[in-house]
Amino acid sequence: MTRVVIIGAGFAGLNAAKTLANRPGVEVLLLDRANHHLFQPLLYQVATAALSPADISAPVRSILRRARNVRVLMAEVRGVDPVTRRVDTDAGQFTGDYVLLGAGATHAYFGHTDWEAAAPGLKTLPQATATRARILLAFEQAERSDDPQSQRSWLNFVIVGGGPTGVEMAGAIAEMSRYTLARDFRRIDPRQARVLLVEAGLRLLPAFTARSSARAQRDLEALGVDVRLGSAVTDVATDSVTIGGERIATRTIIWAAGVRAAPLAQSLGVPLDRAGRVPVTAGITIPGHERVFVLGDLAAATDPRTQRPLPGVAQVALQQGRYAANAILADLRGAPRGVFLYRDKGQMATIGRQRAVCEIGALRFGGRLAWWLWLTVHIMGLTGFRSRASVMLQWGWSFLTYGRGARLIIGREGR
Amino acid sequence: MTRVVIIGAGFAGLNAAKTLANRPGVEVLLLDRANHHLFQPLLYQVATAALSPADISAPVRSILRRARNVRVLMAEVRGVDPVTRRVDTDAGQFTGDYVLLGAGATHAYFGHTDWEAAAPGLKTLPQATATRARILLAFEQAERSDDPQSQRSWLNFVIVGGGPTGVEMAGAIAEMSRYTLARDFRRIDPRQARVLLVEAGLRLLPAFTARSSARAQRDLEALGVDVRLGSAVTDVATDSVTIGGERIATRTIIWAAGVRAAPLAQSLGVPLDRAGRVPVTAGITIPGHERVFVLGDLAAATDPRTQRPLPGVAQVALQQGRYAANAILADLRGAPRGVFLYRDKGQMATIGRQRAVCEIGALRFGGRLAWWLWLTVHIMGLTGFRSRASVMLQWGWSFLTYGRGARLIIGREGR
């Protein structure tokens, strides 16, 4: 029996487990510190009160219920030895004939780790519900205050990073303040809220074409978002952010910049790249350890056709998960593995109601069509009928009423 | 302009605010420490992963958006002076011509406040999601363990209190273990989970007739619940509960016993009853302070027709909220107030799939019809189309698949 240990039930790990499900001669152990698979592309919708956590996540064991050769264990992985393929966890040690690492990434603070407390990122469900509470609470605090200066600082929202997450967050907060909350307050006018999107580079969505970047910026500005390009954040505090020389009073800073691989990579004892990722071979394994695969955001993989790095998107992780599983099955058959070739299915980002940008092959388009395509692709990507139906219901209701169904302040921030 | 300060946006406070909405000459300030109204009768469904928090709650300001004379403020009330009608909060002081207190209740630990940490109650959304995490995590911990004794203690669930919440929790956990989770684990068999319902009195659902109590017990036992009547809990620890002389190893204790009024009552400087509630007049005001109303679970009210205490149920709170608002409007017209007469619309509790008990007037029935009626009444009671549609969707899906859509471990317990 060939034993495969998979670390992480994200797009890569889950897809690898699904590909190995019920294959004779293979036994899979899937480890994750959470009990659920998260559909990360919609995480910003939880952070902006449009969807509930349960809408974009599903229990890993329930997804793999019928995979009789897969065992799921909720455990925190502490380290992996690529030589012995031993995995250390808080639930014991496990050794695999193969080990697949898909532990993902967090945001990078470029050496300013102390900024994280005032400007948390958006990678997990607890972070999303905490961000939701912070945004909603800012409006409540502004309403409670009778000092115009304090009100203003509560109504300033600063998003750092102009990638898809930053663009989507900025658009969603702008829409929430202009439509959803507009008539709910008596003392403040939520439409006066100022949403600032700060990007160090010279355009938004750097992975897209310049035309799509310009379109996204135009759409955000039409929603009232203040887009600052070529602006580096030089300081972050609980009550302000400094951009270049300018200090902006704000109580809500959301970090959506940079990528830093999960700390697990450091336990491997192999050289890492600047973002803490593991450089991998054309077969997405650690050089010299062909039975240790590194997948998704944890890997620094290169397209062998173009020599360009593969982007940190769901499609790369999904395809790498399937590739790694098939490579193991090929080994068992004594067949050659082949190299990993990423099939680019395109990319998209949504800016707000009926506004999005899509790039599929040579096609580049935006506006209403792009937005509907974005909706369709994301609903199809969700796991399970219940989630799809629930998300369609919430989105349909929001589309008709401009409402947001999950305006809940729960947790420490909201008592 | 007559100023009305309402404390608490539960059934009582919210209904009072709705009754006063847009009435000329009246200005309302509604204070709550949360930003949402909670449909408490379905809280146990969040705790057992059937519904999401957003399904059973709605933002207070959004509900009252069109009530132009109502101002909603998220604030923690620290004290109320019935003489000056001054309300102290963490957002400042407010004085009302009338004050309505509807701050609700928590569970009572009968002098053992130290039991709360190991056996938390179920009154708020954070408590519900924490309970959900504890229940789901218990199965995960059992699966991680290879010690049969430890597994057993993780699979023992003890619910203290045989009122509606205790009965509903016991039924839901039993169903979850027998159906929803049955095939999701490899090492443990969730159907082996033992659900213990402990009640100090001699029957379950003491507010119901003996026949309904017997029926609820029979239905629970058919689901495999171990019902212990006349059993007082004598000790609670993180790894066990002691009932009479017997010590039962368990890692999950859920407290659903007793009622204790919110501590706010103590700030009034008036005599309180044993449960910390404020005894009120036939006009549900504090004796000697006819412009200070006490509503819902915070009040010890008596039915003037029977001299019996009014039960702590949603209908009493709803009707008291409306009564207090109408009494104020009567004062403004110079009309007499009349006394508060509770109109009993009946009571119901659900035990599990297609099992419930209903008592409406002289009618007493159980089984499938009672269950469907329970479903209908609770869906109708929810605020807003979105919640109703979402709950119908989740329930429909659960009914067909035995699944539970919100099996999420989030928060401190689940990292």
Side-chain angles (χ1 to χ4, degrees), chain A residues 12 25 30 54 78 85 90 105 115 150 162 176 178 200 215 220 236 256 266 289 301 312 315 339 402 410:
Chain A
L30 176 55
R78 291 172 178 152
R85 293 180 305 279
D90 63 352
W115 291 358
S150 159
M176 196 191 326
R178 271 133 194 85
R215 174 157 205 151
L220 282 174
V236 167
Q266 293 158 26
H289 303 284
Q315 271 301 325
V339 299
Y402 288 86
I410 318 182

Side-chain angles (χ1 to χ4, degrees), chain A residues 15-358:
Chain A
N15 216 30
K18 279 179 174 175
T19 308
L20 294 172
N22 299 318
R23 292 300 184 115
V26 183
E27 199 178 75
V28 177
L29 176 66
L30 176 55
L31 305 168
D32 198 291
R33 61 182 175 182
N35 78 325
H36 52 270
H37 167 68
L38 175 65
F39 191 74
Q40 230 168 20
L42 289 180
L43 195 58
Y44 84 96
Q45 295 236 344
V46 172
T48 53
L51 294 177
S52 280
D55 292 329
I56 62 158
S57 52
V60 181
R61 1 185 123 262
S62 161
I63 300 171
L64 295 167
R65 176 180 297 177
R66 289 185 186 82
R68 302 309 298 180
N69 65 331
V70 178
R71 197 176 153 215
V72 176
L73 211 59
M74 192 172 157
E76 175 104 45
V77 176
R78 291 172 178 152
V80 176
D81 180 343
V83 180
T84 59
R85 293 180 305 279
R86 202 185 68 191
V87 178
D88 275 315
T89 82
D90 63 352
Q93 296 182 338
F94 306 96
T95 302
D97 297 308
Y98 291 88
V99 175
L100 276 58
L101 287 99
T106 60
H107 292 292
Y109 287 85
F110 311 115
H112 299 279
T113 45
D114 54 309
W115 291 358
E116 189 169 4
L122 197 61
K123 287 283 184 187
T124 66
L125 278 178
Q127 285 177 331
T129 51
T131 299
R132 178 178 75 183
R134 287 171 65 222
I135 295 170
L136 295 173
L137 208 52
F139 288 97
E140 298 292 336
Q141 294 283 13
E143 176 81 355
R144 276 168 61 140
S145 169
D146 42 22
D147 167 31
Q149 208 175 330
S150 159
Q151 282 185 345
R152 179 114 306 282
S153 88
W154 282 112
L155 291 178
N156 278 346
F157 297 89
V158 178
I159 295 127
V160 183
T165 300
V167 164
E168 286 167 344
M169 280 301 291
I173 297 175
E175 285 209 324
M176 196 191 326
S177 63
R178 271 133 194 85
Y179 302 109
T180 315
L181 303 178
R183 271 166 304 181
D184 283 12
F185 291 80
R186 299 288 178 265
R187 201 182 253 176
I188 59 160
D189 180 355
R191 285 167 292 195
Q192 303 292 316
R194 187 171 158 215
V195 182
L196 217 82
L197 178 59
V198 187
E199 163 61 37
L202 291 177
R203 58 188 179 95
L204 299 177
L205 303 176
F208 288 65
T209 59
R211 207 178 116 193
S212 296
S213 299
R215 174 157 205 151
Q217 180 172 352
R218 208 168 56 233
D219 284 348
L220 282 174
E221 285 168 348
L223 280 170
V225 175
D226 185 353
V227 178
R228 302 278 184 101
L229 300 176
S231 303
V233 169
T234 50
D235 196 27
V236 167
T238 50
D239 61 352
S240 71
V241 63
T242 309
I243 301 165
E246 190 189 357
R247 183 180 170 282
I248 294 161
T250 175
R251 307 300 290 254
T252 317
I253 311 168
I254 294 156
W255 197 266
V259 177
R260 174 116 211 126
L264 182 62
Q266 293 158 26
S267 75
L268 292 164
V270 300
L272 305 177
D273 77 354
R274 277 199 316 165
R277 291 175 303 196
V278 185
V280 290
T281 64
I284 57 170
T285 56
I286 300 179
H289 303 284
E290 60 175 21
R291 294 204 272 173
V292 183
F293 293 86
V294 188
L295 316 170
D297 287 349
L298 198 67
T302 305
D303 191 317
R305 296 160 296 191
T306 61
Q307 299 306 320
R308 290 176 57 188
L310 292 177
V313 296
Q315 271 301 325
V316 168
L318 278 166
Q319 293 178 28
Q320 287 182 334
R322 193 168 50 231
Y323 166 86
N326 282 324
I328 294 169
L329 295 172
D331 282 6
L332 296 185
R333 287 193 311 268
R337 287 182 182 183
V339 299
F340 172 69
L341 293 176
Y342 172 52
R343 186 166 156 249
D344 187 355
K345 292 190 172 178
Q347 53 185 348
M348 43 177 60
T350 178
I351 290 104
R353 199 180 181 78
Q354 309 213 47
R355 290 185 173 107
V357 288
C358 284

Side-chain angles (χ1 to χ4, degrees), chain A residues 33 35-36 52-55 57 59 61-62 64-68 70-76 90-91 125-126 136-137 140 143-144 180 183-187 385-386 389-390 393-394 397 405-411 414-415, chain B residues 33 35-36 52-55 57 59 61-62 64-68 70-76 90-91 125-126 136-137 140 143-144 180 183-187 385-386 389-390 393-394 397 405-411 414-415:
Chain A
R33 61 182 175 182
N35 78 325
H36 52 270
S52 280
D55 292 329
S57 52
R61 1 185 123 262
S62 161
L64 295 167
R65 176 180 297 177
R66 289 185 186 82
R68 302 309 298 180
V70 178
R71 197 176 153 215
V72 176
L73 211 59
M74 192 172 157
E76 175 104 45
D90 63 352
L125 278 178
L136 295 173
L137 208 52
E140 298 292 336
E143 176 81 355
R144 276 168 61 140
T180 315
R183 271 166 304 181
D184 283 12
F185 291 80
R186 299 288 178 265
R187 201 182 253 176
F385 162 78
R386 195 202 57 84
S390 181
L393 174 71
Q394 319 291 342
W397 179 81
R407 274 170 55 191
L408 282 179
I409 303 177
I410 318 182
R415 269 154 307 181
Chain B
R33 61 180 172 184
N35 78 326
H36 53 270
S52 280
D55 292 330
S57 52
R61 10 184 117 259
S62 160
L64 295 166
R65 175 181 299 178
R66 286 184 188 84
R68 301 309 300 180
V70 178
R71 197 177 152 213
V72 176
L73 211 59
M74 191 172 160
E76 176 105 46
D90 63 351
L125 278 178
L136 296 174
L137 207 52
E140 297 293 336
E143 175 82 355
R144 276 168 62 141
T180 315
R183 271 165 305 179
D184 282 13
F185 291 81
R186 299 290 177 262
R187 201 182 252 177
F385 162 78
R386 195 202 56 86
S390 180
L393 174 71
Q394 321 290 340
W397 179 80
R407 276 170 56 190
L408 282 179
I409 303 178
I410 318 184
R415 269 152 307 179

Side-chain angles (χ1 to χ4, degrees), chain B residues 35-307:
Chain B
N35 78 326
H36 53 270
H37 167 69
L38 175 65
F39 191 75
Q40 228 166 23
L42 290 179
L43 195 58
Y44 84 95
Q45 294 236 345
V46 172
T48 52
L51 294 177
S52 280
D55 292 330
I56 62 159
S57 52
V60 181
R61 10 184 117 259
S62 160
I63 300 171
L64 295 166
R65 175 181 299 178
R66 286 184 188 84
R68 301 309 300 180
N69 65 331
V70 178
R71 197 177 152 213
V72 176
L73 211 59
M74 191 172 160
E76 176 105 46
V77 176
R78 291 173 178 151
V80 176
D81 180 342
V83 179
T84 59
R85 294 181 303 280
R86 203 186 65 191
V87 178
D88 276 315
T89 81
D90 63 351
Q93 296 182 340
F94 306 96
T95 301
D97 297 308
Y98 292 88
V99 175
L100 276 58
L101 287 99
T106 59
H107 292 292
Y109 287 86
F110 312 114
H112 299 279
T113 45
D114 55 308
W115 292 358
E116 190 170 2
L122 198 60
K123 287 282 184 189
T124 65
L125 278 178
Q127 284 177 332
T129 50
T131 299
R132 178 178 75 184
R134 286 170 66 222
I135 295 170
L136 296 174
L137 207 52
F139 288 97
E140 297 293 336
Q141 293 283 11
E143 175 82 355
R144 276 168 62 141
S145 168
D146 43 20
D147 167 32
Q149 208 174 329
S150 160
Q151 281 184 344
R152 179 114 306 283
S153 88
W154 282 112
L155 292 178
N156 278 347
F157 297 87
V158 178
I159 295 127
V160 183
T165 300
V167 165
E168 287 167 342
M169 281 301 291
I173 297 175
E175 284 209 324
M176 195 190 331
S177 62
R178 272 133 194 87
Y179 302 108
T180 315
L181 302 179
R183 271 165 305 179
D184 282 13
F185 291 81
R186 299 290 177 262
R187 201 182 252 177
I188 59 160
D189 180 353
R191 286 167 293 196
Q192 302 292 316
R194 187 172 158 217
V195 181
L196 218 81
L197 178 60
V198 187
E199 163 62 37
L202 291 176
R203 58 187 179 94
L204 298 176
L205 302 176
F208 287 65
T209 60
R211 206 178 117 195
S212 295
S213 299
R215 175 158 202 150
Q217 182 173 352
R218 207 167 59 233
D219 284 348
L220 282 174
E221 285 167 350
L223 280 171
V225 175
D226 186 352
V227 178
R228 302 279 185 99
L229 300 175
S231 302
V233 169
T234 50
D235 196 27
V236 168
T238 50
D239 61 351
S240 71
V241 62
T242 309
I243 302 165
E246 188 189 358
R247 183 181 170 284
I248 294 160
T250 174
R251 306 299 290 255
T252 316
I253 311 169
I254 294 156
W255 197 266
V259 176
R260 175 114 210 126
L264 183 62
Q266 294 158 27
S267 75
L268 292 164
V270 300
L272 304 177
D273 78 353
R274 277 199 314 164
R277 290 175 303 197
V278 185
V280 290
T281 65
I284 57 171
T285 56
I286 299 179
H289 302 285
E290 59 175 22
R291 294 205 273 173
V292 182
F293 295 85
V294 187
L295 316 170
D297 288 349
L298 198 67
T302 306
D303 191 317
R305 295 159 297 191
T306 61
Q307 299 305 321

Side-chain angles (χ1 to χ4, degrees), chain B residues 297-322:
Chain B
D297 288 349
L298 198 67
T302 306
D303 191 317
R305 295 159 297 191
T306 61
Q307 299 305 321
R308 288 174 60 188
L310 293 177
V313 296
Q315 270 301 323
V316 169
L318 278 167
Q319 295 178 27
Q320 287 181 334
R322 193 167 49 228

